[in-house]
Amino acid sequence: MLLDIHTGSRVELVDITTQVEEHVRDSTIRNGLCVISTRHSTTSIVINENESGLCSDILNMLERLIPPSAGYDHDRMDNNADAHLKAVLLGSSETVPVIDGKLVLGTWQQIFFAELDGPRHRNVDVTVLGKD
Amino acid sequence: MLLDIHTGSRVELVDITTQVEEHVRDSTIRNGLCVISTRHSTTSIVINENESGLCSDILNMLERLIPPSAGYDHDRMDNNADAHLKAVLLGSSETVPVIDGKLVLGTWQQIFFAELDGPRHRNVDVTVLGKD
Amino acid sequence: MLLDIHTGSRVELVDITTQVEEHVRDSTIRNGLCVISTRHSTTSIVINENESGLCSDILNMLERLIPPSAGYDHDRMDNNADAHLKAVLLGSSETVPVIDGKLVLGTWQQIFFAELDGPRHRNVDVTVLGKD
């Protein structure tokens, strides 16, 4: 299943947990895995706690470790090298178990789509695999 | 299968390779994948070499890149923002192939549970998927 | 399937997209997942854009965040602690959906093997799972 996500800022964490859970519930898979993966090289998937202060901290950490426009080679082509580098650090997918037809997340785990070069229209694949 | 892990320090790498290998051996899956995933937003799964100096280096690198109590927003709620940020960088799961009923790791690869806000009681899912 | 990769430098990004796509096409799986995983603790798998400037930026970012020979404990055993630490940050595998028998990557997504302690002969597992 393909999620459509419209982001509103240059960098932003969008909580997609509900959509992913719905897709797992609608699938016929009872036990297996759910993979959430992005189709874009300037975005990422992150699992962590949805607390507004922490979301700011995550984006600030990325900005501190990988400052924008810091003389990157790729900025001569397209002025978004920092977004690619942040995506490389965070990775392009996350995998979550499915047990008894439900996505198994911990109490403080939510699934985020990380926009790193928005605002844009984006696509995220949700793939559920296992036994009916 | 759910692993129970009791950690003894604030930050710590716990080698869980043997438990994961046993679970793969006990499953009926001959060829496929094994996913090791954490249910906590201040812990992570890491695959690397189990050499004591390197384990210190990994924890020191995280402390250097993400110093504790460095004015994070989330610390007003709960004084562990650095643990969440380290978990975001490392990711919440790792995936390893299963071939002929065995977990396929390289000679210098071991599976670690990374405790980043201990000591605590923690849970790790081990999911094996594939063909009998 | 096991890919054989011969790297030519200490640090290097090798585009393995074509080999992975061929393997997915040759498998009987129509819908599911493809996992690309390394067997080495000083290498990693990265998905991002194959643009030469960006590839330099990725390697430079790793060198900046984790400078070689910076007094690491592991360097007393083997002078490659930085390569292990870079591999820990990047992770050991990536997972990509398979739909209608094809690997589903975005327009600007390519799959790279990241050599961090070469030149060497390396092995990467490509595992395809799903429904025929």
Side-chain angles (χ1 to χ4, degrees):
Chain A
M1 206 259 290
L2 200 61
L3 301 183
D4 278 308
I5 300 171
H6 292 267
T7 59
S9 311
R10 193 178 68 87
V11 294
E12 182 181 357
L13 295 175
V14 182
D15 189 330
I16 57 173
T17 314
T18 305
Q19 289 104 299
V20 177
E21 283 175 338
E22 278 170 12
H23 180 59
V24 170
R25 213 176 297 129
D26 292 349
S27 82
T28 57
I29 304 299
R30 296 294 299 166
N31 290 287
L33 294 169
C34 176
V35 173
I36 307 100
S37 55
T38 178
R39 291 201 187 179
H40 312 279
S41 52
T42 55
T43 71
S44 191
I45 308 296
V46 168
I47 294 180
N48 217 276
E49 183 182 348
N50 190 351
E51 189 275 311
S52 62
L54 183 61
C55 291
S56 301
D57 291 334
I58 293 170
L59 299 176
N60 288 339
M61 166 190 72
L62 292 171
E63 214 80 354
R64 181 173 59 80
L65 293 179
I66 303 166
S69 308
Y72 303 113
D73 282 358
H74 184 66
D75 282 344
R76 293 176 207 163
M77 304 281 295
D78 204 357
N79 197 29
N80 64 354
D82 66 305
H84 288 277
L85 296 173
K86 290 166 185 168
V88 166
L89 270 197
L90 296 182
S92 69
S93 69
E94 288 285 349
T95 303
V96 180
V98 173
I99 302 180
D100 294 335
K102 283 188 188 164
L103 195 70
V104 176
L105 290 168
T107 315
W108 308 106
Q109 284 184 317
Q110 304 290 315
I111 305 169
F112 293 99
F113 174 75
E115 172 63 81
L116 304 166
D117 189 34
R120 299 218 209 174
H121 173 220
R122 302 293 203 170
N123 284 123
V124 167
D125 287 282
V126 181
T127 310
V128 190
L129 219 67
K131 292 189 176 163
D132 295 344
Chain B
M1 203 258 292
L2 200 60
L3 300 183
D4 278 307
I5 300 171
H6 292 267
T7 58
S9 312
R10 192 178 70 85
V11 293
E12 182 182 358
L13 295 175
V14 182
D15 189 330
I16 57 173
T17 314
T18 304
Q19 289 104 299
V20 176
E21 284 176 338
E22 277 170 11
H23 180 60
V24 171
R25 212 176 298 127
D26 292 350
S27 82
T28 57
I29 303 299
R30 295 294 298 166
N31 290 287
L33 295 169
C34 176
V35 173
I36 307 100
S37 54
T38 178
R39 292 201 186 178
H40 312 279
S41 53
T42 54
T43 71
S44 192
I45 308 296
V46 168
I47 295 180
N48 216 277
E49 183 182 349
N50 190 352
E51 189 275 311
S52 62
L54 183 60
C55 290
S56 301
D57 291 334
I58 292 171
L59 299 176
N60 289 339
M61 166 191 72
L62 292 171
E63 214 79 354
R64 180 173 59 80
L65 293 178
I66 303 167
S69 308
Y72 303 113
D73 283 358
H74 184 67
D75 283 344
R76 294 176 207 163
M77 304 280 295
D78 204 357
N79 197 29
N80 65 354
D82 66 304
H84 288 277
L85 296 174
K86 290 165 184 169
V88 166
L89 271 198
L90 296 182
S92 69
S93 69
E94 287 285 348
T95 303
V96 181
V98 173
I99 301 179
D100 294 336
K102 282 187 189 165
L103 194 71
V104 177
L105 291 168
T107 315
W108 308 106
Q109 284 183 318
Q110 304 290 315
I111 305 168
F112 292 99
F113 173 75
E115 172 63 81
L116 304 166
D117 189 34
R120 297 217 211 174
H121 174 221
R122 303 292 204 172
N123 284 122
V124 167
D125 286 281
V126 181
T127 310
V128 190
L129 219 67
K131 292 187 176 166
D132 294 345
Chain C
M1 204 257 294
L2 200 61
L3 300 182
D4 279 307
I5 300 172
H6 292 268
T7 59
S9 311
R10 192 179 69 87
V11 294
E12 182 182 357
L13 294 175
V14 182
D15 190 330
I16 58 173
T17 314
T18 305
Q19 290 105 298
V20 177
E21 284 175 338
E22 278 170 13
H23 180 60
V24 170
R25 211 177 299 127
D26 292 350
S27 82
T28 57
I29 304 298
R30 296 294 298 166
N31 290 287
L33 295 169
C34 176
V35 173
I36 308 99
S37 54
T38 178
R39 293 202 186 178
H40 312 279
S41 52
T42 55
T43 72
S44 191
I45 307 297
V46 168
I47 294 180
N48 216 277
E49 183 182 349
N50 189 352
E51 189 275 311
S52 63
L54 183 61
C55 291
S56 300
D57 291 334
I58 293 170
L59 299 176
N60 288 339
M61 165 190 74
L62 292 171
E63 214 80 353
R64 181 173 58 80
L65 294 178
I66 304 167
S69 308
Y72 304 112
D73 282 358
H74 184 66
D75 283 344
R76 293 176 207 164
M77 304 280 295
D78 205 357
N79 196 30
N80 65 353
D82 66 305
H84 287 278
L85 296 174
K86 290 166 184 167
V88 166
L89 270 197
L90 297 181
S92 69
S93 69
E94 287 285 350
T95 303
V96 180
V98 173
I99 300 180
D100 293 336
K102 281 187 189 165
L103 195 70
V104 176
L105 290 168
T107 315
W108 308 105
Q109 285 184 316
Q110 305 290 314
I111 305 168
F112 292 99
F113 173 76
E115 172 63 82
L116 304 166
D117 189 34
R120 298 218 210 172
H121 174 220
R122 303 293 203 170
N123 284 122
V124 167
D125 286 281
V126 182
T127 310
V128 190
L129 220 67
K131 291 187 176 165
D132 293 346

